[in-house]
């Protein structure tokens, strides 16, 4: 079975500073992993997807994530936060034909 | 949300009533999945339909049912509504890869 842990329920950064949202996974095989973002009162938007073809995955809006097998991590980063990045972020495995969501990490961006 | 549409946007019902939510997948895509997102939590899988057949079901009571039509649109029905059914209901369809799901904007259901 596959599961993920988002290590922070809430992260606060200042505009223009780096963003780091942490996700650890637990799997006995190579996972199918995604990052989704949800802005307030909106649906879910796909940020990026891990494929075994590349450990560094670039997504939309300047986000990227690095799959580190040695650390079983798939952290989401962005060099410079923008006010519009304030949202809920989900690190999500795909298993058994469905996405398995946890609680997510709320990102706040201060001016 | 690459082309997935849902209706209505918002809905208010009272306990005991029944509700029908609708989803149209990305054009030509044959699979639809439904998720429930209660406030403050991540979405939870309810159903998956492919080619009008149920392919997966989450841990939801029989009050929840769904169907898929020949044009691959789908309806989610919830009977005997409870206050706890208040949530954002999301519909998703896969992209080129079956594990990559694209979500619609959702239907916000409020049960009073």
């Amino acid at each position: 079975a596959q599961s993920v842990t988002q290590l922070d329920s809430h992260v606060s950064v200042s505009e223009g500073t780096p963003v780091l949202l942490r996700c650890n996974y637990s799997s006995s095989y190579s996972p199918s992993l995604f990052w989704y973002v949800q802005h307030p009162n909106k649906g879910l938007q796909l940020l990026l997807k891990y494929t075994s073809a590349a450990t560094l995955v670039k997504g939309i809006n300047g986000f990227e994530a690095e799959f580190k097998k040695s650390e079983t991590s798939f952290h989401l980063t962005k060099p410079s936060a923008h006010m519009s990045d304030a949202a809920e972020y989900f690190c999500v495995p795909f298993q058994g034909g469905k996405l398995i969501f946890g609680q997510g990490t709320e990102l706040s961006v201060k001016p | 949300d690459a082309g997935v549409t849902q209706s209505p946007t918002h809905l208010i019902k009272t306990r005991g009533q029944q509700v029908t939510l609708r989803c149209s997948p990305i054009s030509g895509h044959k699979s639809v999945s439904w998720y429930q997102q209660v406030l403050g939590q991540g979405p939870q899988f309810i159903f998956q339909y492919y080619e009008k057949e149920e392919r997966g079901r989450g841990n939801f009571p029989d009050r929840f049912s769904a169907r898929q039509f020949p044009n691959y649109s789908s309806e989610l029905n919830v009977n005997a509504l409870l206050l706890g059914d208040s949530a954002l209901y999301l519909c998703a369809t896969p992209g080129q890869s079956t594990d990559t799901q694209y979500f619609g904007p959702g239907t916000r259901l409020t049960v009073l």
Side-chain angles (χ1 to χ4, degrees):
Chain A
Q2 185 178 151
S3 66
V4 297
T5 302
Q6 290 185 245
L7 300 174
D8 306 290
S9 59
H10 185 253
V11 171
S12 182
V13 300
S14 297
E15 189 175 21
T17 64
V19 175
L20 170 63
L21 305 182
R22 300 182 294 166
C23 173
N24 284 358
Y25 72 90
S26 171
S27 175
S28 58
Y29 53 89
S30 293
S32 189
L33 279 173
F34 301 82
W35 275 98
Y36 280 87
V37 60
Q38 187 174 35
H39 289 90
N41 299 311
K42 298 289 186 182
L44 288 152
Q45 184 180 22
L46 176 65
L47 272 180
L48 51 82
K49 169 187 176 182
Y50 166 71
T51 67
S52 57
T55 56
L56 183 62
V57 184
K58 293 191 181 298
I60 61 172
N61 300 333
F63 284 95
E64 62 182 34
E66 186 172 4
F67 180 79
K68 292 185 177 180
K69 191 172 183 179
S70 59
E71 300 175 9
T72 62
S73 68
F74 190 53
H75 301 335
L76 183 70
T77 60
K78 183 174 181 178
S80 177
H82 191 273
M83 295 296 292
S84 62
D85 294 328
E88 190 84 16
Y89 291 80
F90 296 95
C91 177
V92 191
F94 185 86
Q95 181 179 308
K98 59 185 180 288
L99 294 167
I100 303 173
F101 289 84
Q103 295 279 61
T105 297
E106 182 184 359
L107 175 65
S108 300
V109 183
K110 298 175 289 186
Chain B
D1 60 348
V4 180
T5 60
Q6 293 185 245
S7 63
T9 305
H10 295 86
L11 205 51
I12 299 175
K13 293 285 187 178
T14 57
R15 282 176 294 175
Q17 285 189 311
Q18 175 264 341
V19 69
T20 298
L21 311 180
R22 297 176 177 82
C23 170
S24 292
I26 298 171
S27 179
H29 286 245
K30 302 177 181 179
S31 176
V32 170
S33 295
W34 287 93
Y35 291 78
Q36 180 199 61
Q37 186 178 24
V38 174
L39 192 64
Q41 297 182 18
Q44 299 299 306
F45 173 77
I46 310 175
F47 285 113
Q48 187 206 7
Y49 274 76
Y50 180 80
E51 290 266 27
K52 298 180 289 181
E53 297 286 330
E54 181 182 305
R55 292 297 183 92
R57 184 184 181 111
N59 188 24
F60 280 81
D62 291 343
R63 298 186 297 108
F64 287 77
S65 63
R67 57 179 176 168
Q68 188 175 29
F69 299 97
N71 66 353
Y72 305 121
S73 66
S74 177
E75 287 182 350
L76 175 69
N77 296 284
V78 187
N79 294 322
L81 284 167
L82 304 174
L83 295 179
D85 295 331
S86 295
L88 180 67
Y89 289 85
L90 295 159
C91 173
T93 60
Q96 288 185 332
S97 177
T98 56
D99 61 350
T100 304
Q101 300 285 316
Y102 293 95
F103 285 84
T107 293
R108 172 74 63 187
L109 172 65
T110 302
V111 182
L112 302 176

